[in-house]
Amino acid sequence: MVIDITTAETQHMAASAKNSPIGLFDSGVGGLSVLRVLEQRLPAENYIYFGDTARVPYGDRSPQEVRDFTVEIGSWLQDQGCKMILIACNTATLLGMEALAAAAKVPVYGMVEAALAGAMAGGQNAAGLWPLGLIATRGTVESGGYQAAVAAKAPGQPFYAQSCPDFVPLIEKGILTGPEVEQAVEKYLKPLKEKGVATLILGCTHYPFLAPAIAAYLGENVRLVDPARQLAIMVEDYLKDRGLLNDGATTGFREFYCSGGSEAFKAQGSNLLGRPLKEIRKQVF
Ligand code: DGL
């Protein structure tokens, strides 16, 4: 069947889609590290953020649960009129992106492709790319998704993946510095330091908030990759190519939702983004 629409109608549709928000979600406040980078690159876009704080952490849940949550939240964001959905969570990307992409009518982007592109893009620096390290949740590491993706791109190269289950609870509590953080960083990063990793992918969107502590432990010769940077480039390219970029002169709106306590999200979110978040709406599935 051919659907015949006039140029004027097409232009109208493109104009309204330009204003449609970008939807993004995470298990909690971690995806705010992705929003932070997107806002810098694409400030005029409108954003709807959902943090599943009633069900965080995803990293210790079963693959089936994370897949179901991903489809549920992604579908809800689509119903809010989002022009695209970003899974601002590595665990949900690995365990649920395929299912969400099959169910959704709008494009779905995740963290893994962006992480690898980001790591590879900077591999020409003095320290080089290899050995490449990954820190992530247990669910992400055990899914084997990153290991397979790296092996497909660069067979035989040294790649070490380490899960860091203590990091997310600390970050959700707003603990980003101090002895607890330093101990956890040493516990998880020591094996990677001993392997001499040259580049480290921050493979959980919560972890960029610990980047200063991680960098202090590993030293300046190890390059840290925040996949959100590459993701923001990919999002911009996608929207530009289709004439869907919101290129207005004013800053777009930001709407925040969470499934747990709104006050806690407001306090942690304001702290992590470095600006007061006014209204946090509740959305429970
Ligand atoms: N921020 C998430 C990620 O990127 C998940 C953290 C969690 O809930 O365990 O994997």
Side-chain angles (χ1 to χ4, degrees):
M1 186 177 65
V2 177
I3 300 171
D4 186 22
I5 45 177
T6 66
T7 311
E9 276 170 320
T10 317
Q11 278 167 358
H12 173 72
M13 281 163 65
S16 63
K18 275 186 179 192
N19 295 329
S20 301
I22 295 173
L24 68 163
F25 72 94
D26 177 50
S27 58
V29 293
L32 295 176
S33 73
V34 179
L35 180 64
R36 181 174 69 172
V37 175
L38 284 163
E39 282 183 324
Q40 278 165 9
R41 194 168 186 101
L42 304 170
E45 292 295 337
N46 297 308
Y47 295 96
I48 297 182
Y49 182 92
F50 174 77
D52 201 1
T53 47
R55 303 189 289 198
V56 67
Y58 281 5
D60 297 327
R61 289 183 177 272
S62 74
Q64 176 72 49
E65 269 181 313
V66 177
R67 185 164 66 231
D68 291 350
F69 295 169
T70 305
V71 174
E72 190 171 55
I73 300 162
S75 305
W76 175 78
L77 284 170
Q78 180 176 282
D79 292 346
Q80 305 312 301
C82 293
K83 62 184 170 189
M84 68 192 305
I85 296 165
L86 313 181
I87 307 180
C89 171
N90 290 260
T91 316
T93 300
L94 284 154
L95 301 175
M97 180 158 159
E98 218 176 285
L100 177 57
K105 294 182 192 70
V106 295
V108 179
Y109 278 69
M111 302 307 298
V112 178
E113 201 188 320
L116 291 187
M120 307 282 169
Q124 307 308 322
N125 67 347
L129 174 58
W130 311 102
L132 177 62
L134 168 81
I135 50 172
T137 66
R138 209 178 267 142
T140 291
V141 172
E142 287 177 5
S143 77
Y146 266 104
Q147 292 88 328
V150 171
K153 274 199 191 297
Q157 289 289 356
F159 176 65
Y160 304 106
Q162 171 72 49
S163 60
C164 312
D166 293 349
F167 281 178
V168 167
L170 285 170
I171 297 158
E172 285 289 324
K173 278 187 252 162
I175 304 172
L176 309 180
T177 55
E180 265 183 286
V181 168
E182 282 159 27
Q183 276 160 26
V185 165
E186 183 173 1
K187 177 166 82 174
Y188 296 129
L189 275 295
K190 197 164 185 242
L192 296 177
K193 196 176 189 174
E194 284 170 359
K195 300 269 191 223
V197 296
T199 299
L200 180 68
I201 297 173
L202 304 177
C204 167
T205 54
H206 281 74
Y207 299 175
F209 294 120
L210 291 186
I214 294 168
Y217 178 73
L218 290 178
E220 57 188 24
N221 290 331
V222 178
R223 187 169 65 95
L224 302 184
V225 177
D226 177 356
R229 292 181 192 288
Q230 195 64 33
L231 181 68
I233 296 170
M234 288 161 62
V235 168
E236 183 175 23
D237 288 349
Y238 172 85
L239 294 175
K240 238 188 212 161
D241 285 354
R242 284 157 186 81
L244 296 177
L245 200 62
N246 192 341
D247 39 19
T250 52
T251 303
F253 70 72
R254 281 89 176 95
E255 278 177 19
F256 295 92
Y257 293 82
C258 70
S259 53
S262 312
E263 284 310 309
F265 188 95
K266 190 190 269 189
Q268 299 312 346
S270 302
N271 183 33
L272 295 172
L273 286 178
R275 65 168 193 266
L277 301 185
K278 289 188 203 90
E279 194 194 353
I280 312 295
R281 301 173 198 194
K282 189 93 178 237
Q283 172 61 34
V284 180
F285 292 99

